[in-house]
Amino acid sequence: MITINENYLRLQASYLFSDIAKRVAKFQQDNPQTDVIKLGIGDVTKALPQAAITAFHKAVDEMADDASFRGYGPEQGYDFLREAIAKNDFQAREAEIAADEIFVSDGAKCDTGNFQELFSEEAVVAIPDPVYPVYLDTNVMAGRSGEFTNGRFENIVYLDCTKENGFVPDLPQEKVDLIYLCFPNNPTGSTISKEELKGWVDFAAENKALILFDAAYEGFIVDESLPHSIYEIEGAKKVAVEFRSFSKTAGFTGTRCAFTVVPKECLVYDKSGAEHSLHALWNRRHCTKFNGVSYPVQRAAEAIYSPEGQAQCKELAAFYRKNAETVLKTMSGLGYFCMGGINSPYIWIEAKGGSWQFFDMLLEKAGVVCTPGAGFGSCGEGYIRISSFNSYEKVVEAMERVEKTLQ
Ligand code: PLP
């Protein structure tokens, strides 16, 4: 008899985006004359930067010729991309990361989801609330949680992110082993200062814990005082892994390319307390289960680091930032407490009521779709998330409609 991994039965069905889709479909059916504006899902809307497209085409042509064709590439990624990443994303910011500490992959979703499998089932996991759901669900699948009661899983240490702490969690009071952090944050748009991040790095070092730092939205940072990478913090290379993605910063959500940084000096432990290299473990896992990102996609990603590519990505971020500013200005002008929207494409808004109530009101009265904060965790109740990924014209129109509705 084939038996299942019963941890999967503990998972809470994620109704968030399907519930949203159902409510939107019903509204559209009942109100066919309303042009619904979607500011819910965090998917980019603008085309790939021209530098990436040119490199992509050229690489596809190389694949059409026996002389330049490439078969399987290195699982960790081609040197040309790993070197461009190390130089531009890290060494340029005085974060001494070497090319061979970078593992190119097809997404930060897969990497943030898969990384936990290197650790024991007993590892105590600390996860922010609200949160990008992948961190929690993959740990539940692996058996690190107990039952789901009163909206939370037993045995998971939740790090509450609230208005009071500026949506930057406080250090845990108990001992934890694996800590997930994401800045700039999805869904709250909050950021972390170097001093606050140093607190986490020191905590991890004192507790022999590991930080999994998700920097998928790093490209939206404009405040020069904020860290782009955890490796800008002294001591982080010993206790942290960093996830990055080309999805939001270069429009690669449908093209798929990301990377994970595992420093060689990062140590983890077996039950006897003996030290092991995390880099060696992840390398083993990556080579066994992953066969690399396609050559043309890696060439397209490399082109992001050319001077033209960098300028075009800055333009993309500026485009979405203008949308975010429009949302922020409207909502705070209407007297709503807002977080994010400056160093982040997301605006987190206190709803003055239930998340779903506010969602329904914006949909029914303004024809605008947002995401109810409650879908990201119990601390998200009472908030909504508005995403800046749409055209400027649509964002302006959405905010005009919201203004009329809420005034
Ligand atoms: N990490 C966070 C915080 C995200 O919000 C997302 C996507 O929405 C991802 C990772 C996934 O990135 P990728 O497209 O590289 O899988």
Side-chain angles (χ1 to χ4, degrees):
M1 181 175 75
I2 175 71
T3 54
I4 59 166
N5 172 355
E6 292 194 20
N7 297 318
Y8 274 64
L9 302 179
R10 288 212 174 103
L11 287 169
Q12 300 303 297
S14 174
Y15 293 122
L16 179 64
F17 288 103
S18 62
D19 268 5
I20 293 175
K22 267 187 225 148
R23 290 184 198 215
V24 173
K26 163 124 190 22
F27 175 79
Q28 273 181 322
Q29 205 178 16
D30 298 344
N31 302 274
Q33 74 292 349
T34 308
D35 173 24
V36 171
I37 302 177
K38 294 183 179 163
L39 301 177
I41 279 180
D43 194 2
V44 293
T45 51
K46 300 236 2 125
L48 290 177
Q50 188 54 47
I53 287 292
T54 306
F56 215 165
H57 278 297
K58 187 164 167 280
V60 170
D61 286 341
E62 283 178 53
M63 299 297 267
D65 185 339
D66 287 350
S68 51
F69 168 80
R70 310 239 185 170
Y72 289 125
E75 289 95 341
Q76 302 87 344
Y78 284 102
D79 285 345
F80 61 76
L81 178 56
R82 298 172 91 194
E83 277 158 17
I85 292 169
K87 181 164 161 259
N88 292 282
D89 280 334
F90 298 100
Q91 291 158 13
R93 305 197 68 85
E94 290 175 15
E96 288 311 315
I97 293 297
D100 63 359
E101 294 177 309
I102 287 157
F103 293 83
V104 176
S105 80
D106 60 354
K109 183 179 195 173
C110 320
D111 286 354
T112 54
N114 290 329
F115 213 87
Q116 51 72 32
E117 73 178 61
L118 300 186
F119 308 109
S120 76
E121 201 178 311
E122 291 77 43
V124 179
V125 183
I127 297 185
D129 176 1
V131 76
Y132 176 58
V134 173
Y135 317 150
L136 180 61
D137 286 355
T138 51
N139 276 289
V140 173
M141 289 170 177
R144 291 192 192 91
S145 78
E147 292 305 321
F148 188 75
T149 43
N150 299 326
R152 286 192 158 179
F153 284 100
E154 290 164 354
N155 306 344
I156 297 286
V157 175
Y158 287 88
L159 304 171
D160 289 357
C161 300
T162 61
K163 197 174 171 182
E164 288 65 44
N165 61 23
F167 301 94
V168 176
D170 301 325
L171 296 173
Q173 296 305 311
E174 57 271 79
K175 202 169 154 20
V176 298
D177 304 309
L178 190 62
I179 303 160
Y180 288 81
L181 294 177
C182 171
F183 291 102
N185 188 260
N186 177 18
T188 69
S190 64
T191 52
I192 193 164
S193 69
K194 286 186 181 163
E195 296 68 37
E196 287 165 325
L197 199 48
K198 176 85 173 95
W200 283 97
V201 167
D202 291 346
F203 176 88
E206 277 156 29
N207 292 282
K208 291 192 167 169
L210 181 74
I211 298 173
L212 299 183
F213 188 75
D214 186 344
Y217 295 94
E218 164 276 334
F220 292 89
I221 293 176
V222 282
D223 179 344
E224 268 312 310
S225 72
L226 295 174
H228 286 243
S229 165
I230 196 167
Y231 305 118
E232 290 174 50
I233 310 300
E234 203 195 324
K237 277 166 68 177
K238 289 198 165 75
V239 295
V241 167
E242 182 164 309
F243 303 98
R244 292 274 188 107
S245 174
F246 296 98
S247 281
K248 309 297 160 88
T249 46
F252 270 53
T253 53
T255 307
R256 309 307 304 146
C257 198
F259 60 91
T260 290
V261 186
V262 189
K264 290 210 169 132
E265 59 191 83
C266 195
L267 294 178
V268 283
Y269 310 88
D270 64 25
K271 281 201 176 79
S272 75
E275 294 174 346
H276 294 267
S277 156
L278 184 61
H279 183 280
L281 284 176
W282 183 247
N283 189 51
R284 187 70 170 87
R285 191 262 168 217
H286 201 69
C287 293
T288 301
K289 293 195 176 181
F290 186 66
N291 237 343
V293 172
S294 84
Y295 172 70
V297 168
Q298 291 195 58
R299 280 293 186 200
E302 179 197 22
I304 294 304
Y305 295 102
S306 65
E308 316 82 71
Q310 289 287 285
Q312 290 157 8
C313 286
K314 283 215 169 79
E315 252 175 66
L316 270 183
F319 173 87
Y320 294 123
R321 195 172 309 115
K322 193 169 154 202
N323 290 349
E325 273 168 18
T326 308
V327 175
L328 193 54
K329 208 166 139 213
T330 308
M331 296 309 292
S332 35
L334 288 165
Y336 285 85
F337 168 82
C338 298
M339 185 76 215
I342 297 169
N343 299 286
S344 156
Y346 299 122
I347 303 95
W348 185 245
I349 301 159
E350 195 175 22
K352 301 183 184 171
S355 287
W356 279 106
Q357 251 172 304
F358 201 73
F359 170 91
D360 283 335
M361 198 253 295
L362 287 189
L363 177 61
E364 284 157 22
K365 302 226 169 99
V368 171
V369 180
C370 64
T371 309
F376 298 102
S378 55
C379 290
E381 179 50 83
Y383 289 85
I384 57 151
R385 187 192 75 176
I386 291 188
S387 145
S388 62
F389 296 123
N390 208 321
S391 72
Y392 180 63
E393 292 68 31
K394 289 272 183 213
V395 170
V396 169
E397 192 187 330
M399 289 304 109
E400 282 169 1
R401 291 195 211 162
V402 168
E403 215 159 22
K404 269 195 209 133
T405 304
L406 298 176
Q407 255 167 4

